[in-house]
Amino acid sequence: MRGPVRSEDNNGPGFPAPVTADIRLSVNGDEHPVTVDTRETLLDTLREHLGLTGAKKGCDHGQCGACTVLVDGRRAKACLTLTVTVDDREITTVEGLARDGVPHPLQAAFVEQDAFQCGYCTPGQLCSAVGMLAEFAAGWPSSVTLGAVSPGAVAPGVEGRPPLCDDEIRERMSGNLCRCGAYPNIVAAIRQVAP
Amino acid sequence: MRPFAYQRATDVPSAVAAGTGQAMYLGGGTNLVDLMRLGVATPEVLVDVTRVPFDTIEETPGGGLLIGAGVRNSDLAAHPLVLRNYPMLAQAVVAGGSGQIRNMATVAGNLLQRTRCSYFQDITKPCNKRVPGSGCPAREGDHRNLAILGHSEACVATHPSDMAVPLAALGAVVNVESSGGPRAIPMPGFHRLPGDAPERDTLLRPGDLVTAVELPALPFAARSRYRKVRDRASFAFAVVSVAAALDVADGVVRDCRIALGGVAHVPWRAERAEAALRGAPATAEEFARAAEAELAQASPLPRNAFKVPLARNVLVRTLLDLTAREDLTAAGDTGETS
Ligand SMILES: Cc1cc2nc3c(=O)[nH]c(=O)nc-3n(C[C@H](O)[C@H](O)[C@H](O)COP(=O)(O)OP(=O)(O)OC[C@H]3O[C@@H](n4cnc5c(N)ncnc54)[C@H](O)[C@@H]3O)c2cc1C
Ligand code: SF4
Ligand code: FES
Ligand code: FES
């Protein structure tokens, strides 16, 4: 399989030849044999090779979160992940969140709360929220938990774990931007599903 | 992006063996992949070190912590001993990037991330750090976020890491492996001031592999704080930040550790402020005096002069936060929740 020719591939004279690797990629429980250029990001492989166009390219620099997927259950930015580095990992994209045609509870909550406008950021928001809720359940601290953003407060640790308040949701979801500004409804949707 | 060969190291010796010539190590890739895409980094070989089993955090016999180079930022911030013994480190890590970035980013990669100076990231512009001798447009151009301390004619860049600031305050030691054998490089001192060689961020030599960061035992760091000021509430680099640990007894500062972020080419250990504070009463007046002593050596540029009073105020505020907690302790609250 060959990927599309991108402008960055227009190699000038003296440019070294592309290096490829044959790997197996596990995405949403399916194994895919793919030949990838070592330069290829997971985002490009998903979208251009595997036809999984849920993950979106917003910035390609790690700044917007539209490309968020789960790698071994942890949320990550597919635009900064080289595909060759994750051949032994389990990838979950937004296409893999529903079970047997039944939307993931977060997907249902996004619909109920009207948590999007154009929908471009939504796949990333959903994957990020799935990962975030798992992180919270595992007791991981955030800047809000540790009092680092509310002036004067010095929280000693996470032992007496606070609930997932709106400030926590906003802070923990800050890696996902929404150009339409659907933030209030995104927070409401996540709150609806949060423990 | 320039084509490159990919190698996956499974242990430290295989990583070091592969890390020769124009090879670069790959951690989480959150900085390096971006710089490769921008054409700033052009390795011929990428040595993936994320399968090297240096991803654990262990207590040292001396009561400190040995943090593997491959530990992800999220795991570092969630570790019970980091939260209990070095809270400013956990606070600094969760103040950096976003959840996704912290899940990917490694300890070594965080220490070795490059400056966010916009000219450094733009290969159509001159930049002494990227192309030695080409000039520094930041000095006359956009330097709002750049250095106020320790910069040179050649470069006024800042080191962007939050995590590195408490590490410099704590006097962490960076363990390095190379074909010439292991070395241990203390912080501060691991990162270097730009001088006339801004292309070198640290004392590392080509091929050097960071294997771990060792934190010394420092009981009073259990009372420590990281405070970060940025242009928005989350997911932004520091404009100025402060990491501080304070040991106060009977209203007097017995000992302290202070470092500043966002102000220099290195995480800036505030030695003058520390010297001014040791033995002084733990009062707002003394805190202000100490902050003044540190910032007296600042030489801001036209568009970042605001950072001098900002750093002073954030430093004072951080110390006040810590002593406010000291008062709580005196009133019977041990600050522990178990
Ligand atoms: C959108 C965005 C926002 C961010 N915001 C913040 C922020 O607010 N605060 C902050 O502190 N940081 C921030 N960061 C930076 C982030 O913290 C760093 O990119 C990250 O810590 C780098 O770690 P990594 O493992 O991904 O490194 P990589 O990108 O893999 O590598 C970085 C450098 O370290 C070298 N390296 C990696 N491992 C080793 C090793 N074991 N030995 C020797 N060399 C090694 C690489 O060769 C490379 O030169 C942000 C990044 C992004 C993309
Ligand atoms: S400040 Fe340093 S990194 Fe920025 S343009 Fe000048 S030389 Fe380059
Ligand atoms: S496309 Fe990956 S973070 Fe924007
Ligand atoms: S719904 Fe349009 S970007 Fe978020």
Side-chain angles (χ1 to χ4, degrees):
Chain A
M1 265 187 253
R2 285 280 303 143
V5 175
R6 294 179 297 266
S7 58
E8 65 193 15
D9 295 335
N10 285 342
N11 310 337
F15 215 65
V19 181
T20 58
D22 296 323
I23 61 166
R24 298 184 73 79
L25 207 58
S26 178
V27 185
N28 301 329
D30 298 326
E31 293 265 316
H32 302 271
V34 277
T35 302
V36 292
D37 189 311
T38 54
R39 296 171 289 178
E40 200 168 307
T41 61
L42 178 59
L43 181 59
D44 286 335
T45 306
L46 290 170
R47 293 181 56 85
E48 312 291 349
H49 278 174
L50 304 184
L52 294 169
T53 54
K56 297 286 185 280
K57 188 178 287 188
C59 66
D60 225 12
H61 290 290
Q63 296 169 356
C64 75
C67 65
T68 303
V69 298
L70 300 165
V71 178
D72 284 348
R74 288 188 173 198
R75 52 185 174 153
K77 304 219 160 167
C79 72
L80 294 180
T81 302
L82 295 172
T83 308
V84 275
T85 67
V86 290
D87 63 344
D88 54 348
R89 310 289 203 206
E90 193 61 51
I91 317 290
T92 306
T93 68
V94 71
E95 289 91 344
L97 293 185
R99 282 276 165 274
D100 305 320
V102 180
H104 186 282
L106 267 164
Q107 290 175 309
F110 266 60
V111 173
E112 272 171 51
Q113 298 292 341
D114 196 15
F116 43 81
Q117 223 175 90
C118 76
Y120 196 81
C121 71
T122 312
Q125 302 278 3
L126 286 166
C127 287
S128 186
V130 170
M132 182 276 280
L133 290 175
E135 292 166 8
F136 183 74
W140 290 11
S142 78
S143 259
V144 169
T145 329
L146 298 182
V149 292
S150 61
V154 183
V158 289
E159 292 90 344
R161 184 156 13 119
L164 190 64
C165 60
D166 286 1
D167 278 351
E168 281 278 11
I169 295 173
R170 287 192 198 95
E171 164 60 26
R172 289 169 187 264
M173 291 296 293
S174 70
N176 291 83
L177 307 190
C178 174
R179 281 298 269 125
C180 300
Y183 297 112
N185 295 4
I186 293 171
V187 172
I190 295 172
R191 191 199 307 123
Q192 177 175 322
V193 173
Chain B
M1 201 188 289
R2 190 187 166 86
F4 56 86
Y6 173 77
Q7 288 190 31
R8 186 174 293 171
T10 51
D11 54 22
V12 168
S14 69
V16 170
T20 55
Q22 297 304 306
M24 287 185 82
Y25 298 117
L26 177 71
T30 57
N31 190 218
L32 184 53
V33 171
D34 198 25
L35 291 178
M36 287 166 65
R37 185 178 288 132
L38 292 167
V40 174
T42 54
E44 287 173 8
V45 181
L46 214 47
V47 182
D48 185 349
V49 295
T50 56
R51 307 306 192 285
V52 175
F54 50 25
D55 57 351
T56 58
I57 300 178
E58 286 154 31
E59 264 188 290
T60 60
L65 279 188
L66 189 66
I67 303 167
V71 169
R72 306 289 175 164
N73 285 195
S74 310
D75 294 310
L76 177 63
H79 196 279
L81 290 176
V82 174
L83 284 162
R84 193 183 74 200
N85 297 344
Y86 310 96
M88 64 178 165
L89 177 56
Q91 290 169 7
V93 173
V94 294
S98 68
Q100 295 96 318
I101 302 276
R102 293 191 293 273
N103 283 348
M104 300 170 75
T106 61
V107 165
N110 192 322
L111 268 185
L112 296 170
Q113 61 176 298
R114 313 287 323 259
T115 184
R116 306 304 283 202
C117 173
S118 56
Y119 305 102
F120 174 75
Q121 299 188 328
D122 180 353
I123 58 166
T124 67
K125 300 288 194 312
C127 166
N128 286 328
K129 184 180 279 299
R130 187 167 28 75
V131 181
S134 62
C136 173
R139 192 167 262 287
E140 299 297 321
D142 178 12
H143 53 243
R144 176 180 179 272
N145 267 341
L146 301 186
I148 56 170
L149 288 159
H151 51 74
S152 68
E153 266 314 305
C155 179
V156 294
T158 42
H159 192 266
S161 169
D162 290 298
M163 181 194 80
V165 182
L167 291 185
L170 289 166
V173 175
V174 182
N175 292 348
V176 178
E177 192 60 62
S178 71
S179 51
R183 279 173 6 261
I185 309 175
M187 291 179 69
F190 175 76
H191 297 91
R192 51 184 297 290
L193 290 174
D196 54 13
E199 68 276 14
R200 292 188 59 207
D201 292 352
T202 67
L203 293 191
L204 290 187
R205 298 189 285 251
D208 281 351
L209 177 75
V210 173
T211 56
V213 172
E214 192 170 342
L215 304 185
L218 191 71
F220 73 85
R223 182 142 302 158
S224 62
R225 178 105 169 96
Y226 186 72
R227 185 183 266 268
K228 174 178 179 178
V229 175
R230 40 188 157 174
D231 289 332
R232 56 184 182 200
S234 186
F235 202 23
F237 285 92
V239 176
V240 164
S241 69
V242 173
L246 209 51
D247 180 11
V248 177
D250 302 324
V252 172
V253 177
R254 278 199 303 211
D255 204 353
C256 58
R257 297 283 189 283
I258 304 170
L260 306 178
V263 295
H265 199 255
V266 300
W268 184 270
R269 180 76 172 263
E271 285 168 6
R272 295 188 188 185
E274 288 182 10
L277 278 178
R278 285 194 189 96
T283 60
E285 295 70 42
E286 293 299 326
F287 295 163
R289 210 190 313 277
E292 292 291 352
E294 193 62 44
L295 274 313
Q297 51 187 326
S299 48
L301 300 160
R303 280 172 291 281
N304 70 5
F306 73 97
K307 280 192 176 188
V308 177
L310 184 61
R312 184 190 58 219
N313 293 349
V314 178
L315 176 45
V316 171
R317 183 73 237 179
T318 309
L319 296 172
L320 285 172
D321 284 348
L322 285 165
T323 46
R325 233 184 121 199
E326 198 61 42
D327 295 340
L328 284 179
T329 308
D333 178 346
T334 62
E336 304 285 334
T337 56
S338 53

